[in-house]
Amino acid sequence: MSTENQIIDALAAARIVPVVVIDNPDHALPLGKALLDGGLDVIEVTYRTAGAQAALTALKELPELIVGAGTVVRPDQVDSAVAAGAQFLVSPGLSVEVVQRAQAVGIPILPGIATPSDIMTALALGLSTVKFFPAATLGGPSAIKAFSAPFPGLRFVPTGGISAASVGDYLAIPAVLAAGGSWMVDRALIEAEDWAEITRRTAEAVALAAPATASIGA
């Protein structure tokens, strides 16, 4: 399994994390290929559907794809996601029990934070990268900038309400490691098996991220 540093480096390189809801596990493999064809090698499969675990397992056939399990809210889901092949975990909130279980089994986790108190708890748990969710509802880029001042060094992966129109505003912030979104992997496109459109939107997302990445590296 990839180390935490390798996962963080992979997210930082991708800059965009597709947040996917898969109802039919048979869609997992062609979806993963569509993302790779569009230039993204990372995916977050939300643990909200009956087919999520089988989808994670199916994606093992694409070793070049970094696969995460999202919406992990209980310690037992940590174990099932790892068993299914998840290489990192994402949670909508910060549960000490969930984080500690992930740390116990050695898998990177990005818990969701919404307040300074959440951040302080995350730091106490030894975390240096967190999810900011729901980003748009909680103030968007300006909120992340405000959080960054008292917590220098903390990296954020904002998710929730981010679109092609707004993703660049998030990625331009130095404290933002990557941004999560679902516009390129819309559930309706997956159900329709429109892999070509998913690849097109993915390539577009990669292109949108490129200027922000260049400005941070400048």
Side-chain angles (χ1 to χ4, degrees), residues 19-46:
V19 181
V20 179
V21 178
I22 299 179
D23 297 289
N24 182 352
D26 291 341
H27 289 154
L29 203 55
L31 174 61
K33 291 177 179 176
L35 290 173
L36 289 169
D37 288 344
L40 279 180
D41 61 358
V42 62
I43 184 173
E44 176 190 331
V45 178
T46 57

Side-chain angles (χ1 to χ4, degrees), residues 80-123:
S80 60
V82 170
Q87 295 167 276
F88 68 97
L89 306 177
V90 183
S91 183
L94 198 157
S95 162
V96 171
E97 292 78 12
V98 170
V99 171
Q100 289 179 332
R101 183 59 191 159
Q103 292 172 331
V105 301
I107 187 168
I109 184 167
L110 303 176
I113 64 91
T115 68
S117 295
D118 289 342
I119 292 176
M120 291 172 69
T121 300
L123 293 174

Side-chain angles (χ1 to χ4, degrees), residues 121-191:
T121 300
L123 293 174
L125 288 165
L127 300 174
S128 59
T129 306
V130 294
K131 173 178 177 172
F132 177 52
F133 176 82
T137 303
L138 293 175
S142 62
I144 295 174
K145 292 176 184 177
F147 281 143
S148 298
F151 302 108
L154 186 67
R155 306 299 299 277
F156 297 86
V157 179
T159 304
I162 298 176
S163 66
S166 64
V167 67
D169 294 334
Y170 288 93
L171 295 178
I173 302 170
V176 170
L177 183 80
S182 58
W183 75 89
M184 78 293 291
V185 286
D186 186 273
R187 200 170 184 173
L189 291 176
I190 297 173
E191 287 300 304

Side-chain angles (χ1 to χ4, degrees), residues 58-69:
L59 288 169
K60 287 181 180 179
E61 293 188 38
L62 298 173
E64 63 270 45
L65 192 65
I66 305 295
V67 181

